[in-house]
């Protein structure tokens, strides 16, 4: 029976070479080959036919072009010391849709950002429909890394630069500031924005679907850093000028003040200090008044400090000499409808004495001797009523009245410093003509590679005569004696002017001025000082502004290694 069973089973098998076996084998082989063919075809389609489309779709989801921030150019003083530099910072931003709602992560994130949790949640909710929001701007790299180390989804970094000012409040108004996007907003930062800013670059990067950087691929365009700006400012002189000015403003409880120091040989601005000021590195609680560069943008009625310039105009016109005598009795006079007064009756005065006594009567009578408006004409040649051309934003032209408005009283007033307005920079610049034998030097905020020749505005002989008269003004026993600098001869002039408001001149509000040149034997610096509304009994220019000149000029001359005047050395020996 077993034999029959085995025989039955055997009878149901088909030999390999049978037609049915070969058919089955062929079908299976065909299916395998078909599958392989379809697979190869699909591979070919993906890698050849659809490759451009698929690559474009993949790149659209992962390939990004990022901006490379450009390093803002440095601003330096004339010796290369940095006054404004850009430091790397990190801005943290988030995609609110990716930030998890996990309370623990939210608490950790708020703590690392130094934010209130409620405020963070409120901001995330407000920007919930957007894909971008700032978390913190301009963090230090270390502080930003502490946040990134939390690995909170949806939080990313952006590299930027932040402006830093090593001198702080000392040169704030001159340099100006940049905004949070590192763009100039005030001062030289604004004036030279295109030059300092540079050109951002571009790079291609690979990012994952969450926007995280996977790999830098290539730099499409390298960032071009901004140009470096070298100022005429000497940081050492700037510190000294600011320190003395701040002390004087505090001592006299004044509203503010200005110091402008020029190189008497080139016209370069060696120092320009303003009060009040502010710290550009920390602008919390900033007083807008501190932003103003009063030395350039605010014109003032100068008063007696322009008397040497008016004297130069009259000497240059001819018919006068230093020995010319003017009767100033009885100490007052009427011109048109106005009464002009001196401090007291000085009687007969020669020209140097008119400057020493600061006689308004003497200057008025001299001006009225001439048929031509020679004084305002010289003022215009000296740059009054015109922009100084420094390029500083908002620089003032000041004002000199138009000829059609001139009357006898106006001619007289212009000679003793009323009826016109000038900035402290214009005032200091005008005195370069006295210091340079009649050649006016245009002021420059940038360091000059080559000194300019200057423009002749008065004769060299007249310039020397006026300088000698101003030398006599700053002597023991005079109102300007506090401007003396031990070891050096100083030429200068004081001025005290009543402030004005909408109703006219104020009774108890003054500005004190002093303009000086030192040393007389070989002028090296020209300096203008203004103290605005000093309170108390000491409000005259000789009492509030002259001491500032003395302190700053003495330190500056020693720092610049200027030898003492020869006659002083001989007298000492």
């Amino acid at each position: 029976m077993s034999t029959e069973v085995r025989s039955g089973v055997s009878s149901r098998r088909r030999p390999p070479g049978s037609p049915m076996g070969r058919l089955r084998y062929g079908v299976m082989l065909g299916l395998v080959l078909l599958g392989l063919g379809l697979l190869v075809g699909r591979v070919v389609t993906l890698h050849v036919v659809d490759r451009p489309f698929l690559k474009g779709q993949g790149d659209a989801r992962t390939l990004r072009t990022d901006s490379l921030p450009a390093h803002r150019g440095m601003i330096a003083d004339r010796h290369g010391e940095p006054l404004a530099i850009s430091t790397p910072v990190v801005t943290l931003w988030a995609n609110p849709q990716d930030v998890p709602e996990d309370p623990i992560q939210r608490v950790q994130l708020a703590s690392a950002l130094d934010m209130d949790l409620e405020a963070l949640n409120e901001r995330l909710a407000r920007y919930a429909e957007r894909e971008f929001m700032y978390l913190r701007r301009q963090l230090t790299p270390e502080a930003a890394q502490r946040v990134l180390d939390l690995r909170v989804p949806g939080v990313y970094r952006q590299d930027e630069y932040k402006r830093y000012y090593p001198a702080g409040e000392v040169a704030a108004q001159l340099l100006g500031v940049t905004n949070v996007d590192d763009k100039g907003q005030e001062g030289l930062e604004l004036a030279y924005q295109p030059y300092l800013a540079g050109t951002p670059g571009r790079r291609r990067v690979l990012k994952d679907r969450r926007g995280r950087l996977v790999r830098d691929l290539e730099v499409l365009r390298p960032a071009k850093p901004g140009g470096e700006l070298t100022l005429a400012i000497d940081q050492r002189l700037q510190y000294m000028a600011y320190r003395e000015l701040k002390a004087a403003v505090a001592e006299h409880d004044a509203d503010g003040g200005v110091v402008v120091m020029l190189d008497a040989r080139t016209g370069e601005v060696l120092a320009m200090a303003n009060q009040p000021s502010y710290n550009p590195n920390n602008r919390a609680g900033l007083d807008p008044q501190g932003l103003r560069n009063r030395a350039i943008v605010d014109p003032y009625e100068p008063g007696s400090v322009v008397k040497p310039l008016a004297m130069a105009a009259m000497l240059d016109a001819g018919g006068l000499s230093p020995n010319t005598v003017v009767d100033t009795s009885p100490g007052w006079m009427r011109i048109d409808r106005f009464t002009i007064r001196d401090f007291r009756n000085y009687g007969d005065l020669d020209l140097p004495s008119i400057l020493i006594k600061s006689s308004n009567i003497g200057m008025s009578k001299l001006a009225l001797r001439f048929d031509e408006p020679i004084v305002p004409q010289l003022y215009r040649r000296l740059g009054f009523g015109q922009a100084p051309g420094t390029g500083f934003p908002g620089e003032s032209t000041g004002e000199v009245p138009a000829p059609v408005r001139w009357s006898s009283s106006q001619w007289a007033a212009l000679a003793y410093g009323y009826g016109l307005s000038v900035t402290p920079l214009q005032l200091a610049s005008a005195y370069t003509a006295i210091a340079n034998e009649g050649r006016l030097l245009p002021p420059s905020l940038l360091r000059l590679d080559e000194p300019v020749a200057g423009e002749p505005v008065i004769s060299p002989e007249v310039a020397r005569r006026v300088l000698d008269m101003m030398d006599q003004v700053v002597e023991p026993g005079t109102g300007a004696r506090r401007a003396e600098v031990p070891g050096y001869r100083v030429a200068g002039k004081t001025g005290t002017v009543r402030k004005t408001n909408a109703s006219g001149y104020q009774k108890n509000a003054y500005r004190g001025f002093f303009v000086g040149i030192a040393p007389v034997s070989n002028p090296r610096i020209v300096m203008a000082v203004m103290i605005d509304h000093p309170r108390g009994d000491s409000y005259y220019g000789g009492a509030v502004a002259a001491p500032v000149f003395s302190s700053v000029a003495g330190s500056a001359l020693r720092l610049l290694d200027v030898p003492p005047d020869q006659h002083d050395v001989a007298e000492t020996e």
Side-chain angles (χ1 to χ4, degrees), residues 57-100:
Q57 291 297 308
D59 288 349
R61 288 165 172 79
T62 61
L63 201 61
R64 297 287 184 269
T65 300
D66 280 356
S67 175
L68 289 173
H71 190 278
R72 190 174 180 86
M74 180 177 72
I75 302 179
D77 82 339
R78 65 185 303 107
H79 300 298
E81 293 296 324
L83 295 172
I85 57 177
S86 289
T87 58
V89 293
V90 176
T91 286
L92 295 178
W93 64 277
N95 182 344
Q97 300 177 12
D98 292 339
V99 177

Side-chain angles (χ1 to χ4, degrees), residues 160-493:
E160 295 179 330
Y161 288 98
K162 180 181 180 181
R163 208 61 161 165
Y164 175 68
Y165 302 91
E169 64 184 56
V170 171
Q173 295 85 359
L174 176 62
L175 298 175
V177 291
T178 59
N179 62 12
V180 71
D181 294 317
D182 214 24
K183 294 181 180 179
Q185 299 295 294
E186 299 281 346
L188 295 176
E189 292 277 27
L190 174 60
Y192 291 91
Q193 165 63 22
Y195 176 75
L196 291 167
T199 306
R202 306 288 292 174
R203 67 173 179 172
R204 181 170 288 135
V205 298
L206 193 65
K207 294 185 177 181
D208 64 14
R209 70 182 185 88
R210 293 184 178 274
R212 293 174 298 193
L213 179 66
V214 176
R215 185 170 71 250
D216 275 321
L217 297 179
E218 61 177 326
V219 175
L220 301 176
R221 185 183 69 229
K224 181 181 178 182
E228 293 191 2
L229 200 64
T230 303
L231 304 187
I233 293 292
D234 186 322
Q235 188 169 217
R236 303 167 301 174
L237 303 182
Q238 181 72 18
Y239 270 107
M240 290 188 298
Y242 182 79
R243 179 190 64 200
E244 297 300 330
L245 176 65
K246 186 175 183 179
V249 168
E251 177 185 354
H252 298 288
D253 192 22
D255 287 346
V258 172
V259 171
V260 177
M261 183 192 303
L262 303 185
D263 188 317
R265 305 169 304 178
T266 65
E268 293 171 295
V269 179
L270 298 177
M272 180 177 285
N274 287 267
Q275 272 287 302
S277 188
Y278 68 100
N279 182 0
N281 300 312
N282 182 8
R283 301 169 209 173
L286 171 65
D287 180 1
Q289 290 296 320
L291 291 170
R292 299 186 66 82
N293 188 346
R294 299 181 174 201
I296 298 181
V297 304
D298 286 352
Y300 306 100
E301 208 165 29
S304 296
V305 288
V306 298
K307 287 177 179 175
L309 304 177
M311 187 77 75
M314 292 181 281
L315 286 169
D316 202 47
L320 297 178
S321 74
N323 296 323
T324 300
V325 175
V326 177
D327 181 11
T328 66
S329 299
W332 62 273
M333 64 182 293
R334 287 190 63 83
I335 303 178
D336 298 333
R337 298 177 294 105
F338 302 95
T339 300
I340 301 171
R341 300 180 183 278
D342 280 344
F343 186 73
R344 61 181 178 83
N345 182 7
Y346 295 118
D348 291 340
L349 296 175
D350 59 13
L351 299 195
S353 297
I354 289 176
L355 292 184
I356 294 171
K357 302 296 184 182
S358 199
S359 171
N360 294 336
I361 305 298
M363 294 300 299
S364 298
K365 287 189 173 181
L366 288 173
L368 294 176
R369 289 188 180 190
F370 296 90
D371 296 329
E372 295 293 326
I374 57 173
V375 171
Q377 287 174 358
L378 177 61
Y379 287 166
R380 290 193 176 277
R381 293 201 302 273
L382 291 171
F384 295 175
Q386 305 164 52
T390 62
F392 193 87
E395 65 177 3
S396 175
T397 62
E399 184 181 5
V400 176
V404 294
R405 296 168 52 193
W406 291 337
S407 61
S408 295
S409 58
Q410 285 177 315
W411 281 26
L414 290 172
Y416 59 80
Y418 280 77
L420 74 157
S421 63
V422 298
T423 65
L425 178 63
Q426 288 176 313
L427 199 56
S429 177
Y431 271 84
T432 63
I434 305 298
N436 280 279
E437 298 193 334
R439 291 180 296 108
L440 177 69
L441 301 176
S444 176
L445 297 175
L446 304 183
R447 189 185 67 186
L448 300 177
D449 295 327
E450 297 291 337
V452 295
E455 179 184 355
V457 290
I458 54 177
S459 70
E461 181 182 359
V462 167
R464 287 192 292 269
R465 284 182 175 179
V466 174
L467 187 64
D468 289 339
M469 293 182 195
M470 293 171 61
D471 184 15
Q472 299 176 53
V473 171
V474 186
E475 289 185 348
T478 67
R481 62 188 180 279
R482 293 181 178 88
E484 290 182 307
V485 177
Y488 298 93
R489 291 167 58 200
V490 172
K493 184 69 185 78

Side-chain angles (χ1 to χ4, degrees), residues 83-157:
L83 295 172
I85 57 177
S86 289
T87 58
V89 293
V90 176
T91 286
L92 295 178
W93 64 277
N95 182 344
Q97 300 177 12
D98 292 339
V99 177
E101 297 184 4
D102 178 18
I104 296 179
Q105 287 186 307
R106 291 276 182 108
V107 169
Q108 290 176 334
L109 179 60
S111 177
L113 291 170
D114 194 23
M115 292 179 63
D116 182 71
L117 177 60
E118 184 178 346
L120 175 62
N121 288 332
E122 182 182 344
R123 289 196 64 201
L124 289 170
R126 188 164 65 248
Y127 290 92
E129 300 300 321
R130 303 183 185 180
E131 296 183 353
F132 178 91
M133 62 171 276
Y134 284 117
L135 289 174
R136 280 291 191 205
R137 297 296 303 267
Q138 299 186 340
L139 292 170
T140 63
E142 296 78 13
Q145 192 59 47
R146 287 195 294 270
V147 179
L148 295 171
D149 286 343
L150 296 175
R151 299 187 179 278
V152 177
V155 177
Y156 310 102
R157 67 180 289 160

